[in-house]
Amino acid sequence: MRIEFHPSRRSTVGAEWELALVDRRSGELTSVAERILDELRPEHDDSHPKIKQELLLNTIEVISGVCSTVPELSADLAESVRLVRSVTDPLGVELFSAGTHPFSTWYQQKVTDKERYAKLIERTQWWGRQMLIYGVHVHVGVDHRDKVLPILDALLIYAPHLQALSASSPYWGGEDTGYASNRALMFQQLPTAGLPFQFRHWSELERYVDDMFVTGVIDHFSEIRWDIRPAPHFGTVEMRVCDGVPTLQEVASIAALTQCLVDDFSARLDAGETLPSLPPWHVQENKWRAARYGMDAIIILDAAGNERLVTEDLGDVLERLEPVAKHLECTAELRGVETILQHGASYQRQRAAARECHGSLKAVVASLITEMREGLV
């Protein structure tokens, strides 16, 4: 099977932000996505171009256009959220984004009535119905196909950094799981989800995809749900490792870090460098550590097994990428990572909100709603 990669202008950026719909009084998820999307749909169009449905009717997704800078991306997403609120506010529906809802149960949620979703649930059964999870996906443009796989492998080194920063799913079904990102381990239960294979050549990816089609595992490339994947039709590498995050500032910071990493790797490839990579077993261990411990994860840095606290390594990464951020006009957004380090990742803030209110998970939902409206600072 031949997979055509349609190159993009280098380091363009886009994002997809999954938002939960919550009843203002109870804090429970509410399945009103169809009503909201109907009201937002432009006349004579099937759907809004930037506000979309998702697997569950308690979810909508706001999607940016192809942006040159992260500030442009932020403004784009902010406008879509404003439009959504023009419909949800009068309905008594609030918005929040986190990897999971702290206490709503999966078996009470309604699945969107679309053939592709019905097929997913039919195949995956109990695990598919468990996908009461939310994420942020960041696309960064790549200007040549031969760069894609080396960039993907190099990004796997920084997947735990991004997972720790975005970790926001400590609770599941009303219980504290002990994990910073329960979503990370839930989502990988789906076929073709989880960590990507590390292919050296594009032809190896093509053979893998061909095998997936021949054996009936997938019907479309988009059904490969890796944590980081190529998006050949967009000409991007797509970072999908992140939990949903409650504030636009955090989305912007995650997008800036991802864009800077990809741009740096792209420039190094242009200069003839060989990009670093980790053995798959180290990548797998790092994912588990970041999911379990979040900001307290001690991650593996290289094939020699050297280790370091993820937050300490992030400090050096930010310093190294500062000139890249200046070039990409996202210096403030990249520095926003320091704000997350200062205030704690969402999983830490959620647990703090629960402690302050004697374990109340309704208070956690209220804090997530407030953060999305007001930001971190």
Side-chain angles (χ1 to χ4, degrees):
M1 172 176 289
R2 185 170 177 81
I3 300 172
E4 293 291 341
F5 183 84
H6 303 280
S8 293
R9 184 161 51 89
R10 177 173 143 183
S11 301
T12 50
V13 64
E16 303 160 7
W17 190 13
E18 294 174 350
L19 308 178
L21 305 168
V22 179
D23 180 82
R24 184 174 294 152
R25 292 183 178 179
S26 68
E28 292 274 6
L29 292 167
T30 181
S31 297
V32 294
E34 287 182 336
R35 178 174 178 180
I36 293 164
L37 293 169
D38 283 345
E39 293 199 35
L40 291 170
R41 183 175 61 244
E43 191 176 0
H44 307 306
D45 285 336
D46 292 335
S47 64
H48 192 283
K50 294 183 178 180
I51 305 169
K52 301 294 185 180
Q53 66 185 15
E54 263 294 331
L55 170 66
L56 299 176
L57 289 174
N58 60 45
T59 309
I60 59 171
E61 183 179 58
V62 292
I63 302 170
S64 77
V66 178
C67 301
S68 297
T69 67
V70 174
E72 180 187 344
L73 178 151
S74 296
D76 193 332
L77 292 177
E79 173 60 19
S80 292
V81 171
R82 186 194 66 77
L83 282 174
V84 172
R85 288 198 188 280
S86 71
V87 176
T88 56
D89 281 353
L91 294 176
V93 173
E94 294 287 356
L95 306 175
F96 88 75
S97 184
T100 56
H101 188 283
F103 58 83
S104 284
T105 52
W106 64 269
Y107 52 82
Q108 293 180 313
Q109 310 310 315
K110 298 178 181 178
V111 177
T112 300
D113 185 17
K114 293 290 182 181
E115 182 180 355
R116 65 189 177 105
Y117 297 136
K119 180 180 176 182
L120 173 65
I121 297 300
E122 170 59 28
R123 183 172 188 225
T124 59
Q125 292 294 303
W126 190 83
W127 277 115
R129 290 300 310 276
Q130 292 275 334
M131 292 298 119
L132 187 57
I133 56 177
Y134 308 89
V136 174
H137 303 164
V138 178
H139 290 261
V140 181
V142 179
D143 56 4
H144 197 285
R145 189 195 73 179
D146 290 347
K147 292 182 175 182
V148 173
L149 296 180
I151 288 174
L152 188 156
D153 285 355
L155 281 174
L156 285 171
I157 299 171
Y158 299 94
H161 302 67
L162 287 155
Q163 188 167 292
L165 286 169
S166 68
S168 61
S169 48
Y171 299 106
W172 179 257
E175 296 186 13
D176 192 325
T177 64
Y179 282 76
S181 174
N182 191 50
R183 169 193 168 272
L185 304 184
M186 290 287 299
F187 189 54
Q188 69 183 15
Q189 304 306 317
L190 291 184
T192 74
L195 292 167
F197 295 103
Q198 294 175 252
F199 298 119
R200 295 185 62 188
H201 304 288
W202 192 259
S203 59
E204 294 176 6
L205 172 66
E206 290 176 325
R207 286 197 295 273
Y208 165 80
V209 174
D210 187 56
D211 283 347
M212 295 299 100
F213 274 92
V214 169
T215 56
V217 177
I218 63 172
D219 294 321
H220 191 274
F221 188 92
S222 64
E223 293 172 9
I224 296 172
R225 301 180 176 94
W226 292 334
D227 294 343
I228 312 173
R229 68 181 181 186
H233 53 303
F234 291 137
T236 65
V237 169
E238 182 183 4
M239 174 63 74
R240 299 161 48 86
V241 75
C242 297
D243 279 10
V245 290
T247 70
L248 183 59
Q249 297 99 313
E250 287 169 289
V251 174
S253 292
I254 286 165
L257 179 54
T258 306
Q259 184 192 32
C260 287
L261 285 168
V262 173
D263 187 76
D264 180 55
F265 293 145
S266 186
R268 289 161 67 178
L269 288 170
D270 286 342
E273 289 188 36
T274 299
L275 298 183
S277 63
L278 276 177
W281 48 92
H282 287 170
V283 173
Q284 185 174 8
E285 175 64 14
N286 277 346
K287 176 177 179 175
W288 187 87
R289 292 184 187 187
R292 169 64 177 88
Y293 300 109
M295 297 288 226
D296 294 319
I298 296 173
I299 58 169
I300 304 166
L301 301 177
D302 52 38
N306 292 304
E307 297 173 295
R308 196 180 189 194
L309 183 66
V310 68
T311 50
E312 291 180 359
D313 200 56
L314 268 167
D316 287 350
V317 171
L318 295 178
E319 183 177 352
R320 178 171 62 81
L321 292 177
E322 188 172 347
V324 183
K326 184 176 181 180
H327 169 70
L328 295 174
E329 301 177 32
C330 63
T331 299
E333 289 75 17
L334 185 65
R335 286 178 180 164
V337 171
E338 296 173 350
T339 303
I340 300 174
L341 296 175
Q342 177 184 353
H343 289 268
S346 179
Y347 79 92
Q348 295 170 309
R349 306 195 306 266
Q350 289 179 48
R351 284 179 173 145
R355 286 193 301 270
E356 289 171 6
C357 295
H358 309 289
S360 169
L361 295 187
K362 288 189 71 172
V364 174
V365 173
S367 72
L368 289 164
I369 290 168
T370 299
E371 283 190 359
M372 184 162 183
R373 282 195 180 271
E374 300 179 4
L376 278 182
V377 292

